[in-house]
Amino acid sequence: ESRRSNPVGAARDYEAALKLDPRYADAINLAAIRSMQGQSAAAIDLLDQAIAVDRRNPLAFYNRGYAEFALKQYDKAIADYSSAIELEPRMGLAYNNRALSRAIAGSDLVAALADSDQALKLLPLNLEVRDTRGFIFLKLGDPALALAEYNAALTIDPNRALSLYGRGLARIRMGDAAGKGDQEAALTINPE
């Protein structure tokens, strides 16, 4: 049985490995499982240990940033995504997540857009990147550019709830009543 299909079994394996060798690199993998289980604080503790062992692992910083984001610790997430990017400049998702963290925190929308531009260069087909860009453009007050980003995502996946909802917001801000229909469709696909 693979670790992907059985995260509980995988977590037990990683915990056993860490008991044998607390410096074991699988702390990062166990942390990812803890994040998926909604245990972000436990994930951060494991990643703190992994980073103490090896400060040159970009995935440890990326995963810690992800867990911090889940806890709404945006400044910490931004710092960890920055560390991941410094160690691995081609980590497109780190650019995307740092852009989203910056946009949500409202700390630096120009830097968020620059991160988003880099994420798009590295991951031109990634729908999360398109959604982040749309969100940034909405925050910048440019619903037309936001609409273009959401439409690009919906061209690839017409049932993507987040993109539909974002497109609805952009349309509404542009005075287009069809935006309500987009939002209703998004909520039908994913009520959350």
Side-chain angles (χ1 to χ4, degrees):
E1 195 167 359
S2 79
R3 289 181 174 158
R4 284 180 185 248
S5 65
N6 185 1
V8 173
R12 277 194 305 265
D13 292 346
Y14 293 134
E15 286 168 350
L18 287 169
K19 284 179 186 172
L20 293 172
D21 181 0
R23 297 172 55 90
Y24 195 65
D26 277 339
I28 295 169
N29 297 323
L30 179 57
I33 291 170
R34 294 293 179 242
S35 286
M36 289 187 318
Q37 295 172 332
Q39 299 175 18
S40 297
I44 291 170
D45 288 342
L46 287 163
L47 291 162
D48 287 346
Q49 293 173 31
I51 290 168
V53 170
D54 180 8
R55 297 198 56 80
R56 302 291 309 157
N57 188 328
L59 190 56
F61 285 102
Y62 174 84
N63 285 346
R64 190 168 69 179
Y66 189 87
E68 290 161 342
F69 180 90
L71 294 173
K72 299 180 179 173
Q73 298 173 350
Y74 302 117
D75 289 339
K76 288 182 178 182
I78 291 166
D80 277 335
Y81 291 136
S82 296
S83 294
I85 290 165
E86 184 178 315
L87 293 167
E88 178 48 66
R90 299 202 45 81
M91 189 180 276
L93 288 178
Y95 283 101
N96 182 67
N97 292 3
R98 184 170 71 178
L100 183 59
S101 298
R102 284 178 165 158
I104 289 173
S107 60
D108 190 345
L109 293 176
V110 173
L113 187 56
D115 281 344
S116 180
D117 289 344
Q118 186 62 26
L120 185 62
K121 286 178 191 171
L122 294 169
L123 303 167
L125 300 178
N126 186 289
L127 301 183
E128 290 178 25
V129 171
R130 293 294 184 171
D131 287 336
T132 297
R133 291 175 63 75
F135 179 67
I136 292 168
F137 285 127
L138 284 173
K139 296 268 299 198
L140 287 169
D142 196 332
L145 287 176
L147 181 64
E149 295 297 337
Y150 292 123
N151 281 335
L154 291 166
T155 298
I156 296 169
D157 180 0
N159 294 313
R160 185 167 172 82
L162 186 58
S163 299
L164 278 168
Y165 198 86
R167 184 173 75 179
L169 285 173
R171 283 179 161 175
I172 290 167
R173 289 187 184 171
M174 294 172 68
D176 182 350
K180 285 284 190 202
D182 282 344
Q183 289 181 320
E184 289 169 7
L187 291 170
T188 299
I189 294 167
N190 182 354
E192 294 181 30

mmCIF file with all atom_site columns, all heavy atoms in Angstrom, residues 106-130:
data_model
loop_
_atom_site.group_PDB
_atom_site.id
_atom_site.type_symbol
_atom_site.label_atom_id
_atom_site.label_alt_id
_atom_site.label_comp_id
_atom_site.label_asym_id
_atom_site.label_entity_id
_atom_site.label_seq_id
_atom_site.pdbx_PDB_ins_code
_atom_site.Cartn_x
_atom_site.Cartn_y
_atom_site.Cartn_z
_atom_site.occupancy
_atom_site.B_iso_or_equiv
_atom_site.pdbx_formal_charge
_atom_site.auth_seq_id
_atom_site.auth_comp_id
_atom_site.auth_asym_id
_atom_site.auth_atom_id
_atom_site.pdbx_PDB_model_num
ATOM 1   N N   . GLY A 1 106 ? -1.717 42.040 2.492   1.00 0.00 ? 106 GLY A N   1
ATOM 2   C CA  . GLY A 1 106 ? -1.756 43.416 1.996   1.00 0.00 ? 106 GLY A CA  1
ATOM 3   C C   . GLY A 1 106 ? -0.449 44.140 2.215   1.00 0.00 ? 106 GLY A C   1
ATOM 4   O O   . GLY A 1 106 ? -0.398 45.363 2.217   1.00 0.00 ? 106 GLY A O   1
ATOM 5   N N   . SER A 1 107 ? 0.623  43.366 2.392   1.00 0.00 ? 107 SER A N   1
ATOM 6   C CA  . SER A 1 107 ? 1.907  43.969 2.763   1.00 0.00 ? 107 SER A CA  1
ATOM 7   C C   . SER A 1 107 ? 2.620  44.628 1.589   1.00 0.00 ? 107 SER A C   1
ATOM 8   O O   . SER A 1 107 ? 3.220  45.676 1.760   1.00 0.00 ? 107 SER A O   1
ATOM 9   C CB  . SER A 1 107 ? 2.818  42.925 3.414   1.00 0.00 ? 107 SER A CB  1
ATOM 10  O OG  . SER A 1 107 ? 3.058  41.856 2.532   1.00 0.00 ? 107 SER A OG  1
ATOM 11  N N   . ASP A 1 108 ? 2.556  44.031 0.417   1.00 0.00 ? 108 ASP A N   1
ATOM 12  C CA  . ASP A 1 108 ? 3.279  44.601 -0.717  1.00 0.00 ? 108 ASP A CA  1
ATOM 13  C C   . ASP A 1 108 ? 2.721  44.007 -2.005  1.00 0.00 ? 108 ASP A C   1
ATOM 14  O O   . ASP A 1 108 ? 3.204  42.982 -2.487  1.00 0.00 ? 108 ASP A O   1
ATOM 15  C CB  . ASP A 1 108 ? 4.781  44.298 -0.584  1.00 0.00 ? 108 ASP A CB  1
ATOM 16  C CG  . ASP A 1 108 ? 5.621  45.057 -1.583  1.00 0.00 ? 108 ASP A CG  1
ATOM 17  O OD1 . ASP A 1 108 ? 5.064  45.593 -2.571  1.00 0.00 ? 108 ASP A OD1 1
ATOM 18  O OD2 . ASP A 1 108 ? 6.851  45.111 -1.399  1.00 0.00 ? 108 ASP A OD2 1
ATOM 19  N N   . LEU A 1 109 ? 1.710  44.658 -2.554  1.00 0.00 ? 109 LEU A N   1
ATOM 20  C CA  . LEU A 1 109 ? 1.050  44.125 -3.740  1.00 0.00 ? 109 LEU A CA  1
ATOM 21  C C   . LEU A 1 109 ? 1.937  44.176 -4.981  1.00 0.00 ? 109 LEU A C   1
ATOM 22  O O   . LEU A 1 109 ? 1.816  43.328 -5.862  1.00 0.00 ? 109 LEU A O   1
ATOM 23  C CB  . LEU A 1 109 ? -0.267 44.851 -3.988  1.00 0.00 ? 109 LEU A CB  1
ATOM 24  C CG  . LEU A 1 109 ? -1.339 44.595 -2.927  1.00 0.00 ? 109 LEU A CG  1
ATOM 25  C CD1 . LEU A 1 109 ? -2.582 45.434 -3.207  1.00 0.00 ? 109 LEU A CD1 1
ATOM 26  C CD2 . LEU A 1 109 ? -1.694 43.128 -2.849  1.00 0.00 ? 109 LEU A CD2 1
ATOM 27  N N   . VAL A 1 110 ? 2.851  45.128 -5.052  1.00 0.00 ? 110 VAL A N   1
ATOM 28  C CA  . VAL A 1 110 ? 3.769  45.192 -6.188  1.00 0.00 ? 110 VAL A CA  1
ATOM 29  C C   . VAL A 1 110 ? 4.708  43.983 -6.159  1.00 0.00 ? 110 VAL A C   1
ATOM 30  O O   . VAL A 1 110 ? 4.921  43.310 -7.174  1.00 0.00 ? 110 VAL A O   1
ATOM 31  C CB  . VAL A 1 110 ? 4.560  46.520 -6.196  1.00 0.00 ? 110 VAL A CB  1
ATOM 32  C CG1 . VAL A 1 110 ? 5.632  46.518 -7.276  1.00 0.00 ? 110 VAL A CG1 1
ATOM 33  C CG2 . VAL A 1 110 ? 3.604  47.700 -6.396  1.00 0.00 ? 110 VAL A CG2 1
ATOM 34  N N   . ALA A 1 111 ? 5.241  43.668 -4.975  1.00 0.00 ? 111 ALA A N   1
ATOM 35  C CA  . ALA A 1 111 ? 6.094  42.486 -4.837  1.00 0.00 ? 111 ALA A CA  1
ATOM 36  C C   . ALA A 1 111 ? 5.280  41.213 -5.068  1.00 0.00 ? 111 ALA A C   1
ATOM 37  O O   . ALA A 1 111 ? 5.782  40.244 -5.650  1.00 0.00 ? 111 ALA A O   1
ATOM 38  C CB  . ALA A 1 111 ? 6.753  42.460 -3.465  1.00 0.00 ? 111 ALA A CB  1
ATOM 39  N N   . ALA A 1 112 ? 4.027  41.202 -4.628  1.00 0.00 ? 112 ALA A N   1
ATOM 40  C CA  . ALA A 1 112 ? 3.167  40.039 -4.855  1.00 0.00 ? 112 ALA A CA  1
ATOM 41  C C   . ALA A 1 112 ? 2.986  39.804 -6.347  1.00 0.00 ? 112 ALA A C   1
ATOM 42  O O   . ALA A 1 112 ? 3.064  38.666 -6.828  1.00 0.00 ? 112 ALA A O   1
ATOM 43  C CB  . ALA A 1 112 ? 1.812  40.241 -4.182  1.00 0.00 ? 112 ALA A CB  1
ATOM 44  N N   . LEU A 1 113 ? 2.777  40.880 -7.100  1.00 0.00 ? 113 LEU A N   1
ATOM 45  C CA  . LEU A 1 113 ? 2.612  40.745 -8.547  1.00 0.00 ? 113 LEU A CA  1
ATOM 46  C C   . LEU A 1 113 ? 3.910  40.271 -9.204  1.00 0.00 ? 113 LEU A C   1
ATOM 47  O O   . LEU A 1 113 ? 3.885  39.424 -10.100 1.00 0.00 ? 113 LEU A O   1
ATOM 48  C CB  . LEU A 1 113 ? 2.148  42.077 -9.164  1.00 0.00 ? 113 LEU A CB  1
ATOM 49  C CG  . LEU A 1 113 ? 1.784  42.020 -10.635 1.00 0.00 ? 113 LEU A CG  1
ATOM 50  C CD1 . LEU A 1 113 ? 0.702  40.980 -10.914 1.00 0.00 ? 113 LEU A CD1 1
ATOM 51  C CD2 . LEU A 1 113 ? 1.320  43.406 -11.094 1.00 0.00 ? 113 LEU A CD2 1
ATOM 52  N N   . ALA A 1 114 ? 5.047  40.768 -8.744  1.00 0.00 ? 114 ALA A N   1
ATOM 53  C CA  . ALA A 1 114 ? 6.343  40.313 -9.284  1.00 0.00 ? 114 ALA A CA  1
ATOM 54  C C   . ALA A 1 114 ? 6.544  38.821 -9.013  1.00 0.00 ? 114 ALA A C   1
ATOM 55  O O   . ALA A 1 114 ? 6.992  38.071 -9.892  1.00 0.00 ? 114 ALA A O   1
ATOM 56  C CB  . ALA A 1 114 ? 7.487  41.132 -8.688  1.00 0.00 ? 114 ALA A CB  1
ATOM 57  N N   . ASP A 1 115 ? 6.191  38.377 -7.802  1.00 0.00 ? 115 ASP A N   1
ATOM 58  C CA  . ASP A 1 115 ? 6.272  36.943 -7.490  1.00 0.00 ? 115 ASP A CA  1
ATOM 59  C C   . ASP A 1 115 ? 5.346  36.149 -8.395  1.00 0.00 ? 115 ASP A C   1
ATOM 60  O O   . ASP A 1 115 ? 5.709  35.076 -8.887  1.00 0.00 ? 115 ASP A O   1
ATOM 61  C CB  . ASP A 1 115 ? 5.873  36.687 -6.034  1.00 0.00 ? 115 ASP A CB  1
ATOM 62  C CG  . ASP A 1 115 ? 6.969  37.006 -5.037  1.00 0.00 ? 115 ASP A CG  1
ATOM 63  O OD1 . ASP A 1 115 ? 8.140  37.148 -5.440  1.00 0.00 ? 115 ASP A OD1 1
ATOM 64  O OD2 . ASP A 1 115 ? 6.639  37.102 -3.836  1.00 0.00 ? 115 ASP A OD2 1
ATOM 65  N N   . SER A 1 116 ? 4.159  36.672 -8.595  1.00 0.00 ? 116 SER A N   1
ATOM 66  C CA  . SER A 1 116 ? 3.176  35.992 -9.433  1.00 0.00 ? 116 SER A CA  1
ATOM 67  C C   . SER A 1 116 ? 3.656  35.910 -10.884 1.00 0.00 ? 116 SER A C   1
ATOM 68  O O   . SER A 1 116 ? 3.454  34.898 -11.557 1.00 0.00 ? 116 SER A O   1
ATOM 69  C CB  . SER A 1 116 ? 1.839  36.733 -9.339  1.00 0.00 ? 116 SER A CB  1
ATOM 70  O OG  . SER A 1 116 ? 0.882  36.109 -10.126 1.00 0.00 ? 116 SER A OG  1
ATOM 71  N N   . ASP A 1 117 ? 4.293  36.968 -11.368 1.00 0.00 ? 117 ASP A N   1
ATOM 72  C CA  . ASP A 1 117 ? 4.865  36.945 -12.723 1.00 0.00 ? 117 ASP A CA  1
ATOM 73  C C   . ASP A 1 117 ? 5.908  35.823 -12.845 1.00 0.00 ? 117 ASP A C   1
ATOM 74  O O   . ASP A 1 117 ? 5.932  35.086 -13.833 1.00 0.00 ? 117 ASP A O   1
ATOM 75  C CB  . ASP A 1 117 ? 5.526  38.281 -13.064 1.00 0.00 ? 117 ASP A CB  1
ATOM 76  C CG  . ASP A 1 117 ? 4.536  39.412 -13.288 1.00 0.00 ? 117 ASP A CG  1
ATOM 77  O OD1 . ASP A 1 117 ? 3.331  39.143 -13.483 1.00 0.00 ? 117 ASP A OD1 1
ATOM 78  O OD2 . ASP A 1 117 ? 4.982  40.581 -13.251 1.00 0.00 ? 117 ASP A OD2 1
ATOM 79  N N   . GLN A 1 118 ? 6.758  35.691 -11.821 1.00 0.00 ? 118 GLN A N   1
ATOM 80  C CA  . GLN A 1 118 ? 7.788  34.657 -11.838 1.00 0.00 ? 118 GLN A CA  1
ATOM 81  C C   . GLN A 1 118 ? 7.154  33.265 -11.756 1.00 0.00 ? 118 GLN A C   1
ATOM 82  O O   . GLN A 1 118 ? 7.575  32.345 -12.452 1.00 0.00 ? 118 GLN A O   1
ATOM 83  C CB  . GLN A 1 118 ? 8.788  34.854 -10.695 1.00 0.00 ? 118 GLN A CB  1
ATOM 84  C CG  . GLN A 1 118 ? 9.959  33.912 -10.721 1.00 0.00 ? 118 GLN A CG  1
ATOM 85  C CD  . GLN A 1 118 ? 10.823 34.058 -11.970 1.00 0.00 ? 118 GLN A CD  1
ATOM 86  O OE1 . GLN A 1 118 ? 10.887 35.116 -12.598 1.00 0.00 ? 118 GLN A OE1 1
ATOM 87  N NE2 . GLN A 1 118 ? 11.490 32.989 -12.347 1.00 0.00 ? 118 GLN A NE2 1
ATOM 88  N N   . ALA A 1 119 ? 6.144  33.114 -10.931 1.00 0.00 ? 119 ALA A N   1
ATOM 89  C CA  . ALA A 1 119 ? 5.444  31.830 -10.822 1.00 0.00 ? 119 ALA A CA  1
ATOM 90  C C   . ALA A 1 119 ? 4.833  31.443 -12.168 1.00 0.00 ? 119 ALA A C   1
ATOM 91  O O   . ALA A 1 119 ? 4.903  30.281 -12.580 1.00 0.00 ? 119 ALA A O   1
ATOM 92  C CB  . ALA A 1 119 ? 4.367  31.901 -9.745  1.00 0.00 ? 119 ALA A CB  1
ATOM 93  N N   . LEU A 1 120 ? 4.265  32.419 -12.867 1.00 0.00 ? 120 LEU A N   1
ATOM 94  C CA  . LEU A 1 120 ? 3.657  32.146 -14.175 1.00 0.00 ? 120 LEU A CA  1
ATOM 95  C C   . LEU A 1 120 ? 4.711  31.719 -15.194 1.00 0.00 ? 120 LEU A C   1
ATOM 96  O O   . LEU A 1 120 ? 4.471  30.817 -16.000 1.00 0.00 ? 120 LEU A O   1
ATOM 97  C CB  . LEU A 1 120 ? 2.887  33.375 -14.670 1.00 0.00 ? 120 LEU A CB  1
ATOM 98  C CG  . LEU A 1 120 ? 2.107  33.188 -15.966 1.00 0.00 ? 120 LEU A CG  1
ATOM 99  C CD1 . LEU A 1 120 ? 1.033  32.117 -15.811 1.00 0.00 ? 120 LEU A CD1 1
ATOM 100 C CD2 . LEU A 1 120 ? 1.486  34.515 -16.391 1.00 0.00 ? 120 LEU A CD2 1
ATOM 101 N N   . LYS A 1 121 ? 5.891  32.336 -15.144 1.00 0.00 ? 121 LYS A N   1
ATOM 102 C CA  . LYS A 1 121 ? 6.978  31.932 -16.051 1.00 0.00 ? 121 LYS A CA  1
ATOM 103 C C   . LYS A 1 121 ? 7.395  30.485 -15.792 1.00 0.00 ? 121 LYS A C   1
ATOM 104 O O   . LYS A 1 121 ? 7.662  29.732 -16.721 1.00 0.00 ? 121 LYS A O   1
ATOM 105 C CB  . LYS A 1 121 ? 8.194  32.843 -15.873 1.00 0.00 ? 121 LYS A CB  1
ATOM 106 C CG  . LYS A 1 121 ? 8.030  34.216 -16.450 1.00 0.00 ? 121 LYS A CG  1
ATOM 107 C CD  . LYS A 1 121 ? 9.267  35.064 -16.177 1.00 0.00 ? 121 LYS A CD  1
ATOM 108 C CE  . LYS A 1 121 ? 8.998  36.510 -16.517 1.00 0.00 ? 121 LYS A CE  1
ATOM 109 N NZ  . LYS A 1 121 ? 10.086 37.395 -16.075 1.00 0.00 ? 121 LYS A NZ  1
ATOM 110 N N   . LEU A 1 122 ? 7.461  30.123 -14.515 1.00 0.00 ? 122 LEU A N   1
ATOM 111 C CA  . LEU A 1 122 ? 7.915  28.776 -14.144 1.00 0.00 ? 122 LEU A CA  1
ATOM 112 C C   . LEU A 1 122 ? 6.818  27.728 -14.277 1.00 0.00 ? 122 LEU A C   1
ATOM 113 O O   . LEU A 1 122 ? 7.108  26.555 -14.550 1.00 0.00 ? 122 LEU A O   1
ATOM 114 C CB  . LEU A 1 122 ? 8.450  28.787 -12.711 1.00 0.00 ? 122 LEU A CB  1
ATOM 115 C CG  . LEU A 1 122 ? 9.714  29.618 -12.497 1.00 0.00 ? 122 LEU A CG  1
ATOM 116 C CD1 . LEU A 1 122 ? 9.997  29.792 -11.004 1.00 0.00 ? 122 LEU A CD1 1
ATOM 117 C CD2 . LEU A 1 122 ? 10.904 28.978 -13.189 1.00 0.00 ? 122 LEU A CD2 1
ATOM 118 N N   . LEU A 1 123 ? 5.563  28.136 -14.095 1.00 0.00 ? 123 LEU A N   1
ATOM 119 C CA  . LEU A 1 123 ? 4.429  27.202 -14.111 1.00 0.00 ? 123 LEU A CA  1
ATOM 120 C C   . LEU A 1 123 ? 3.301  27.765 -14.978 1.00 0.00 ? 123 LEU A C   1
ATOM 121 O O   . LEU A 1 123 ? 2.223  28.111 -14.468 1.00 0.00 ? 123 LEU A O   1
ATOM 122 C CB  . LEU A 1 123 ? 3.922  26.978 -12.682 1.00 0.00 ? 123 LEU A CB  1
ATOM 123 C CG  . LEU A 1 123 ? 4.921  26.461 -11.661 1.00 0.00 ? 123 LEU A CG  1
ATOM 124 C CD1 . LEU A 1 123 ? 4.371  26.594 -10.245 1.00 0.00 ? 123 LEU A CD1 1
ATOM 125 C CD2 . LEU A 1 123 ? 5.280  25.019 -11.966 1.00 0.00 ? 123 LEU A CD2 1
ATOM 126 N N   . PRO A 1 124 ? 3.500  27.860 -16.286 1.00 0.00 ? 124 PRO A N   1
ATOM 127 C CA  . PRO A 1 124 ? 2.530  28.551 -17.142 1.00 0.00 ? 124 PRO A CA  1
ATOM 128 C C   . PRO A 1 124 ? 1.140  27.894 -17.199 1.00 0.00 ? 124 PRO A C   1
ATOM 129 O O   . PRO A 1 124 ? 0.171  28.572 -17.540 1.00 0.00 ? 124 PRO A O   1
ATOM 130 C CB  . PRO A 1 124 ? 3.200  28.552 -18.511 1.00 0.00 ? 124 PRO A CB  1
ATOM 131 C CG  . PRO A 1 124 ? 4.212  27.468 -18.455 1.00 0.00 ? 124 PRO A CG  1
ATOM 132 C CD  . PRO A 1 124 ? 4.648  27.358 -17.029 1.00 0.00 ? 124 PRO A CD  1
ATOM 133 N N   . LEU A 1 125 ? 1.028  26.643 -16.851 1.00 0.00 ? 125 LEU A N   1
ATOM 134 C CA  . LEU A 1 125 ? -0.269 25.967 -16.920 1.00 0.00 ? 125 LEU A CA  1
ATOM 135 C C   . LEU A 1 125 ? -0.906 25.730 -15.551 1.00 0.00 ? 125 LEU A C   1
ATOM 136 O O   . LEU A 1 125 ? -1.961 25.108 -15.451 1.00 0.00 ? 125 LEU A O   1
ATOM 137 C CB  . LEU A 1 125 ? -0.123 24.624 -17.652 1.00 0.00 ? 125 LEU A CB  1
ATOM 138 C CG  . LEU A 1 125 ? 0.375  24.729 -19.091 1.00 0.00 ? 125 LEU A CG  1
ATOM 139 C CD1 . LEU A 1 125 ? 0.533  23.343 -19.698 1.00 0.00 ? 125 LEU A CD1 1
ATOM 140 C CD2 . LEU A 1 125 ? -0.564 25.584 -19.936 1.00 0.00 ? 125 LEU A CD2 1
ATOM 141 N N   . ASN A 1 126 ? -0.278 26.228 -14.500 1.00 0.00 ? 126 ASN A N   1
ATOM 142 C CA  . ASN A 1 126 ? -0.774 25.980 -13.149 1.00 0.00 ? 126 ASN A CA  1
ATOM 143 C C   . ASN A 1 126 ? -1.972 26.881 -12.850 1.00 0.00 ? 126 ASN A C   1
ATOM 144 O O   . ASN A 1 126 ? -1.874 28.107 -12.926 1.00 0.00 ? 126 ASN A O   1
ATOM 145 C CB  . ASN A 1 126 ? 0.356  26.215 -12.133 1.00 0.00 ? 126 ASN A CB  1
ATOM 146 C CG  . ASN A 1 126 ? -0.057 25.833 -10.750 1.00 0.00 ? 126 ASN A CG  1
ATOM 147 O OD1 . ASN A 1 126 ? -0.878 26.499 -10.119 1.00 0.00 ? 126 ASN A OD1 1
ATOM 148 N ND2 . ASN A 1 126 ? 0.512  24.736 -10.256 1.00 0.00 ? 126 ASN A ND2 1
ATOM 149 N N   . LEU A 1 127 ? -3.081 26.268 -12.497 1.00 0.00 ? 127 LEU A N   1
ATOM 150 C CA  . LEU A 1 127 ? -4.311 27.021 -12.252 1.00 0.00 ? 127 LEU A CA  1
ATOM 151 C C   . LEU A 1 127 ? -4.257 27.821 -10.949 1.00 0.00 ? 127 LEU A C   1
ATOM 152 O O   . LEU A 1 127 ? -4.880 28.884 -10.852 1.00 0.00 ? 127 LEU A O   1
ATOM 153 C CB  . LEU A 1 127 ? -5.508 26.074 -12.250 1.00 0.00 ? 127 LEU A CB  1
ATOM 154 C CG  . LEU A 1 127 ? -5.697 25.288 -13.552 1.00 0.00 ? 127 LEU A CG  1
ATOM 155 C CD1 . LEU A 1 127 ? -6.944 24.430 -13.481 1.00 0.00 ? 127 LEU A CD1 1
ATOM 156 C CD2 . LEU A 1 127 ? -5.738 26.200 -14.761 1.00 0.00 ? 127 LEU A CD2 1
ATOM 157 N N   . GLU A 1 128 ? -3.530 27.335 -9.958  1.00 0.00 ? 128 GLU A N   1
ATOM 158 C CA  . GLU A 1 128 ? -3.380 28.097 -8.718  1.00 0.00 ? 128 GLU A CA  1
ATOM 159 C C   . GLU A 1 128 ? -2.692 29.431 -8.984  1.00 0.00 ? 128 GLU A C   1
ATOM 160 O O   . GLU A 1 128 ? -3.042 30.450 -8.381  1.00 0.00 ? 128 GLU A O   1
ATOM 161 C CB  . GLU A 1 128 ? -2.584 27.297 -7.686  1.00 0.00 ? 128 GLU A CB  1
ATOM 162 C CG  . GLU A 1 128 ? -3.329 26.111 -7.128  1.00 0.00 ? 128 GLU A CG  1
ATOM 163 C CD  . GLU A 1 128 ? -2.503 25.308 -6.147  1.00 0.00 ? 128 GLU A CD  1
ATOM 164 O OE1 . GLU A 1 128 ? -1.576 25.864 -5.525  1.00 0.00 ? 128 GLU A OE1 1
ATOM 165 O OE2 . GLU A 1 128 ? -2.791 24.111 -6.010  1.00 0.00 ? 128 GLU A OE2 1
ATOM 166 N N   . VAL A 1 129 ? -1.730 29.426 -9.885  1.00 0.00 ? 129 VAL A N   1
ATOM 167 C CA  . VAL A 1 129 ? -1.027 30.660 -10.240 1.00 0.00 ? 129 VAL A CA  1
ATOM 168 C C   . VAL A 1 129 ? -2.017 31.649 -10.859 1.00 0.00 ? 129 VAL A C   1
ATOM 169 O O   . VAL A 1 129 ? -2.027 32.835 -10.521 1.00 0.00 ? 129 VAL A O   1
ATOM 170 C CB  . VAL A 1 129 ? 0.165  30.375 -11.182 1.00 0.00 ? 129 VAL A CB  1
ATOM 171 C CG1 . VAL A 1 129 ? 0.761  31.670 -11.717 1.00 0.00 ? 129 VAL A CG1 1
ATOM 172 C CG2 . VAL A 1 129 ? 1.223  29.548 -10.468 1.00 0.00 ? 129 VAL A CG2 1
ATOM 173 N N   . ARG A 1 130 ? -2.873 31.158 -11.744 1.00 0.00 ? 130 ARG A N   1
ATOM 174 C CA  . ARG A 1 130 ? -3.877 32.038 -12.369 1.00 0.00 ? 130 ARG A CA  1
ATOM 175 C C   . ARG A 1 130 ? -4.832 32.616 -11.327 1.00 0.00 ? 130 ARG A C   1
ATOM 176 O O   . ARG A 1 130 ? -5.179 33.802 -11.367 1.00 0.00 ? 130 ARG A O   1
ATOM 177 C CB  . ARG A 1 130 ? -4.658 31.284 -13.451 1.00 0.00 ? 130 ARG A CB  1
ATOM 178 C CG  . ARG A 1 130 ? -3.829 30.901 -14.643 1.00 0.00 ? 130 ARG A CG  1
ATOM 179 C CD  . ARG A 1 130 ? -3.379 32.125 -15.398 1.00 0.00 ? 130 ARG A CD  1
ATOM 180 N NE  . ARG A 1 130 ? -2.644 31.726 -16.600 1.00 0.00 ? 130 ARG A NE  1
ATOM 181 C CZ  . ARG A 1 130 ? -2.277 32.553 -17.533 1.00 0.00 ? 130 ARG A CZ  1
ATOM 182 N NH1 . ARG A 1 130 ? -2.554 33.836 -17.450 1.00 0.00 ? 130 ARG A NH1 1
ATOM 183 N NH2 . ARG A 1 130 ? -1.599 32.124 -18.573 1.00 0.00 ? 130 ARG A NH2 1
#
